[in-house]
Short mmCIF file of all heavy atoms in Angstrom, two decimals:
data_model
loop_
_atom_site.label_atom_id
_atom_site.label_comp_id
_atom_site.label_asym_id
_atom_site.label_seq_id
_atom_site.Cartn_x
_atom_site.Cartn_y
_atom_site.Cartn_z
N LYS A 1 158.80 80.42 104.15
CA LYS A 1 157.59 80.73 103.38
C LYS A 1 157.85 81.95 102.50
O LYS A 1 158.49 82.91 102.92
CB LYS A 1 156.40 80.98 104.30
CG LYS A 1 155.87 79.70 104.96
CD LYS A 1 154.61 79.96 105.74
CE LYS A 1 154.09 78.67 106.37
NZ LYS A 1 153.55 77.74 105.35
N ILE A 2 157.35 81.88 101.27
CA ILE A 2 157.44 82.98 100.32
C ILE A 2 156.04 83.58 100.21
O ILE A 2 155.08 82.88 99.89
CB ILE A 2 157.93 82.50 98.95
CG1 ILE A 2 159.25 81.73 99.09
CG2 ILE A 2 158.09 83.68 97.99
CD1 ILE A 2 159.74 81.09 97.80
N TRP A 3 155.94 84.89 100.49
CA TRP A 3 154.66 85.57 100.55
C TRP A 3 154.56 86.65 99.48
O TRP A 3 155.55 87.27 99.11
CB TRP A 3 154.48 86.26 101.91
CG TRP A 3 154.70 85.40 103.10
CD1 TRP A 3 155.89 85.08 103.70
CD2 TRP A 3 153.69 84.74 103.88
NE1 TRP A 3 155.70 84.28 104.78
CE2 TRP A 3 154.36 84.06 104.94
CE3 TRP A 3 152.31 84.69 103.82
CZ2 TRP A 3 153.69 83.32 105.90
CZ3 TRP A 3 151.62 83.96 104.78
CH2 TRP A 3 152.31 83.27 105.80
N ASN A 4 153.35 86.84 99.00
CA ASN A 4 153.05 88.05 98.25
C ASN A 4 152.71 89.11 99.29
O ASN A 4 151.65 89.07 99.91
CB ASN A 4 151.86 87.83 97.31
CG ASN A 4 151.53 89.05 96.47
OD1 ASN A 4 151.70 90.19 96.91
ND2 ASN A 4 151.05 88.82 95.26
N TYR A 5 153.63 90.04 99.53
CA TYR A 5 153.41 90.97 100.62
C TYR A 5 152.38 92.05 100.30
O TYR A 5 151.92 92.77 101.19
CB TYR A 5 154.72 91.60 101.10
CG TYR A 5 155.32 92.67 100.22
CD1 TYR A 5 154.83 93.98 100.23
CD2 TYR A 5 156.42 92.38 99.42
CE1 TYR A 5 155.39 94.96 99.44
CE2 TYR A 5 156.98 93.37 98.63
CZ TYR A 5 156.47 94.65 98.65
OH TYR A 5 157.04 95.62 97.85
N ARG A 6 151.96 92.11 99.03
CA ARG A 6 150.93 93.09 98.68
C ARG A 6 149.54 92.65 99.16
O ARG A 6 148.74 93.46 99.62
CB ARG A 6 150.91 93.33 97.17
CG ARG A 6 152.22 93.90 96.64
CD ARG A 6 152.19 94.02 95.13
NE ARG A 6 153.51 94.37 94.59
CZ ARG A 6 153.93 95.61 94.42
NH1 ARG A 6 153.14 96.62 94.73
NH2 ARG A 6 155.13 95.84 93.93
N ASP A 7 149.26 91.33 99.04
CA ASP A 7 147.94 90.86 99.48
C ASP A 7 148.01 89.86 100.64
O ASP A 7 146.98 89.39 101.12
CB ASP A 7 147.17 90.25 98.31
CG ASP A 7 147.88 89.04 97.69
OD1 ASP A 7 148.76 88.45 98.35
OD2 ASP A 7 147.54 88.70 96.54
N GLY A 8 149.23 89.52 101.09
CA GLY A 8 149.37 88.68 102.27
C GLY A 8 149.22 87.19 102.03
O GLY A 8 149.19 86.41 102.99
N THR A 9 149.14 86.76 100.78
CA THR A 9 148.98 85.33 100.50
C THR A 9 150.33 84.62 100.47
O THR A 9 151.34 85.18 100.06
CB THR A 9 148.27 85.11 99.15
OG1 THR A 9 149.04 85.73 98.10
CG2 THR A 9 146.88 85.70 99.18
N CYS A 10 150.33 83.36 100.92
CA CYS A 10 151.53 82.53 100.88
C CYS A 10 151.65 81.90 99.50
O CYS A 10 150.77 81.16 99.05
CB CYS A 10 151.48 81.45 101.96
SG CYS A 10 152.95 80.39 102.00
N ILE A 11 152.75 82.18 98.81
CA ILE A 11 152.97 81.66 97.47
C ILE A 11 153.53 80.25 97.50
O ILE A 11 153.13 79.38 96.72
CB ILE A 11 153.94 82.58 96.69
CG1 ILE A 11 153.39 84.01 96.61
CG2 ILE A 11 154.23 82.03 95.30
CD1 ILE A 11 154.40 85.02 96.08
N ARG A 12 154.45 80.01 98.43
CA ARG A 12 155.12 78.72 98.45
C ARG A 12 155.74 78.48 99.82
O ARG A 12 156.15 79.42 100.51
CB ARG A 12 156.21 78.67 97.38
CG ARG A 12 156.86 77.32 97.20
CD ARG A 12 157.71 77.30 95.95
NE ARG A 12 158.13 75.96 95.61
CZ ARG A 12 158.23 75.48 94.39
NH1 ARG A 12 157.90 76.24 93.36
NH2 ARG A 12 158.64 74.25 94.17
N THR A 13 155.83 77.21 100.21
CA THR A 13 156.53 76.81 101.43
C THR A 13 157.68 75.89 101.06
O THR A 13 157.47 74.89 100.36
CB THR A 13 155.58 76.10 102.42
OG1 THR A 13 154.52 76.98 102.79
CG2 THR A 13 156.34 75.67 103.67
N LEU A 14 158.87 76.24 101.52
CA LEU A 14 160.06 75.43 101.27
C LEU A 14 160.42 74.66 102.54
O LEU A 14 160.60 75.27 103.60
CB LEU A 14 161.25 76.31 100.86
CG LEU A 14 161.06 77.23 99.65
CD1 LEU A 14 162.31 78.09 99.47
CD2 LEU A 14 160.78 76.42 98.39
N ARG A 15 160.53 73.36 102.42
CA ARG A 15 161.04 72.56 103.53
C ARG A 15 162.57 72.56 103.41
O ARG A 15 163.16 71.82 102.63
CB ARG A 15 160.49 71.13 103.46
CG ARG A 15 161.16 70.12 104.37
CD ARG A 15 161.15 70.49 105.82
NE ARG A 15 159.81 70.55 106.40
CZ ARG A 15 159.57 70.83 107.67
NH1 ARG A 15 160.58 71.12 108.48
NH2 ARG A 15 158.33 70.88 108.12
N VAL A 16 163.23 73.43 104.20
CA VAL A 16 164.66 73.66 104.05
C VAL A 16 165.47 72.65 104.85
O VAL A 16 166.40 72.02 104.34
CB VAL A 16 165.03 75.09 104.47
CG1 VAL A 16 166.52 75.36 104.24
CG2 VAL A 16 164.20 76.12 103.69
N PHE A 17 165.12 72.50 106.14
CA PHE A 17 165.88 71.62 107.02
C PHE A 17 164.93 70.62 107.69
O PHE A 17 163.86 70.99 108.16
CB PHE A 17 166.60 72.41 108.11
CG PHE A 17 167.54 73.46 107.59
CD1 PHE A 17 167.34 74.80 107.88
CD2 PHE A 17 168.64 73.10 106.82
CE1 PHE A 17 168.21 75.77 107.41
CE2 PHE A 17 169.51 74.06 106.34
CZ PHE A 17 169.30 75.40 106.62
N ASP A 18 165.35 69.36 107.74
CA ASP A 18 164.58 68.34 108.44
C ASP A 18 165.06 68.15 109.87
O ASP A 18 164.37 67.53 110.68
CB ASP A 18 164.67 67.01 107.69
CG ASP A 18 163.95 67.06 106.35
OD1 ASP A 18 162.88 67.71 106.28
OD2 ASP A 18 164.47 66.48 105.38
N ASN A 19 166.26 68.63 110.16
CA ASN A 19 166.86 68.37 111.48
C ASN A 19 167.25 69.66 112.19
O ASN A 19 168.30 69.74 112.83
CB ASN A 19 168.09 67.47 111.34
CG ASN A 19 169.14 68.06 110.41
OD1 ASN A 19 168.85 68.95 109.60
ND2 ASN A 19 170.38 67.57 110.52
N GLY A 20 166.43 70.68 112.08
CA GLY A 20 166.71 71.94 112.78
C GLY A 20 165.95 73.10 112.15
O GLY A 20 165.40 72.99 111.05
N GLY A 21 165.93 74.20 112.87
CA GLY A 21 165.17 75.36 112.41
C GLY A 21 165.97 76.30 111.54
O GLY A 21 167.19 76.17 111.38
N VAL A 22 165.25 77.26 110.96
CA VAL A 22 165.87 78.33 110.18
C VAL A 22 166.25 79.45 111.15
O VAL A 22 165.42 79.94 111.91
CB VAL A 22 164.89 78.87 109.11
CG1 VAL A 22 165.46 80.11 108.43
CG2 VAL A 22 164.58 77.78 108.09
N ILE A 23 167.51 79.87 111.11
CA ILE A 23 168.00 80.91 112.01
C ILE A 23 168.20 82.24 111.28
O ILE A 23 167.98 83.31 111.85
CB ILE A 23 169.33 80.46 112.67
CG1 ILE A 23 169.14 79.14 113.42
CG2 ILE A 23 169.86 81.55 113.61
CD1 ILE A 23 168.10 79.20 114.51
N SER A 24 168.59 82.18 110.02
CA SER A 24 168.89 83.41 109.28
C SER A 24 168.59 83.20 107.80
O SER A 24 168.58 82.06 107.31
CB SER A 24 170.36 83.81 109.46
OG SER A 24 171.22 82.73 109.08
N LEU A 25 168.34 84.30 107.09
CA LEU A 25 168.17 84.21 105.64
C LEU A 25 168.47 85.55 104.99
O LEU A 25 168.42 86.60 105.64
CB LEU A 25 166.77 83.72 105.26
CG LEU A 25 165.52 84.43 105.79
CD1 LEU A 25 165.18 85.65 104.94
CD2 LEU A 25 164.34 83.46 105.78
N HIS A 26 168.81 85.50 103.72
CA HIS A 26 169.08 86.71 102.93
C HIS A 26 168.72 86.42 101.48
O HIS A 26 169.08 85.37 100.95
CB HIS A 26 170.54 87.12 103.03
CG HIS A 26 170.84 88.46 102.42
ND1 HIS A 26 172.02 88.73 101.75
CD2 HIS A 26 170.10 89.60 102.34
CE1 HIS A 26 172.00 89.98 101.32
NE2 HIS A 26 170.85 90.52 101.67
N HIS A 27 167.99 87.35 100.86
CA HIS A 27 167.60 87.21 99.46
C HIS A 27 168.16 88.38 98.67
O HIS A 27 168.09 89.54 99.10
CB HIS A 27 166.08 87.20 99.34
CG HIS A 27 165.60 87.19 97.91
ND1 HIS A 27 165.18 88.34 97.27
CD2 HIS A 27 165.49 86.19 97.01
CE1 HIS A 27 164.83 88.04 96.03
NE2 HIS A 27 165.01 86.75 95.85
N GLN A 28 168.74 88.07 97.51
CA GLN A 28 169.27 89.12 96.64
C GLN A 28 169.29 88.62 95.21
O GLN A 28 169.85 87.57 94.91
CB GLN A 28 170.69 89.51 97.09
CG GLN A 28 171.32 90.63 96.28
CD GLN A 28 172.63 91.09 96.88
OE1 GLN A 28 172.66 91.69 97.95
NE2 GLN A 28 173.75 90.80 96.20
N ARG A 29 168.68 89.40 94.33
CA ARG A 29 168.69 89.13 92.89
C ARG A 29 168.38 87.68 92.56
O ARG A 29 169.09 87.03 91.77
CB ARG A 29 170.03 89.55 92.29
CG ARG A 29 170.25 91.05 92.30
CD ARG A 29 171.45 91.43 91.45
NE ARG A 29 172.69 90.97 92.04
CZ ARG A 29 173.41 91.66 92.92
NH1 ARG A 29 172.98 92.85 93.32
NH2 ARG A 29 174.54 91.18 93.40
N GLY A 30 167.33 87.14 93.14
CA GLY A 30 166.87 85.80 92.80
C GLY A 30 167.56 84.67 93.53
O GLY A 30 167.22 83.50 93.32
N THR A 31 168.52 84.98 94.39
CA THR A 31 169.19 83.96 95.19
C THR A 31 168.74 84.10 96.65
O THR A 31 168.81 85.18 97.23
CB THR A 31 170.72 84.09 95.11
OG1 THR A 31 171.14 83.92 93.76
CG2 THR A 31 171.40 83.04 95.97
N LEU A 32 168.29 83.00 97.22
CA LEU A 32 167.90 82.96 98.63
C LEU A 32 168.88 82.07 99.38
O LEU A 32 169.12 80.93 98.99
CB LEU A 32 166.48 82.40 98.77
CG LEU A 32 165.99 82.16 100.21
CD1 LEU A 32 165.82 83.48 100.94
CD2 LEU A 32 164.69 81.36 100.20
N VAL A 33 169.45 82.61 100.46
CA VAL A 33 170.38 81.85 101.30
C VAL A 33 169.77 81.70 102.69
O VAL A 33 169.29 82.68 103.27
CB VAL A 33 171.75 82.54 101.38
CG1 VAL A 33 172.70 81.73 102.25
CG2 VAL A 33 172.34 82.75 100.00
#
């Protein structure tokens, strides 16, 4: 989920994996891994 952390609203939800959970992530300069 991508949030506006200033007001707490959810901007977007990404369905990343259909066969397992998200374990780790890193965002830098417009790239999300």
Side-chain angles (χ1 to χ4, degrees):
K1 288 186 179 290
I2 306 174
W3 308 83
N4 182 327
Y5 75 79
R6 298 176 189 271
D7 61 19
T9 59
C10 181
I11 302 170
R12 187 169 191 142
T13 299
L14 304 176
R15 167 57 64 178
V16 183
F17 303 118
D18 292 323
N19 58 341
V22 172
I23 303 301
S24 55
L25 55 83
H26 188 216
H27 174 261
Q28 182 172 291
R29 292 191 291 272
T31 299
L32 174 67
V33 180

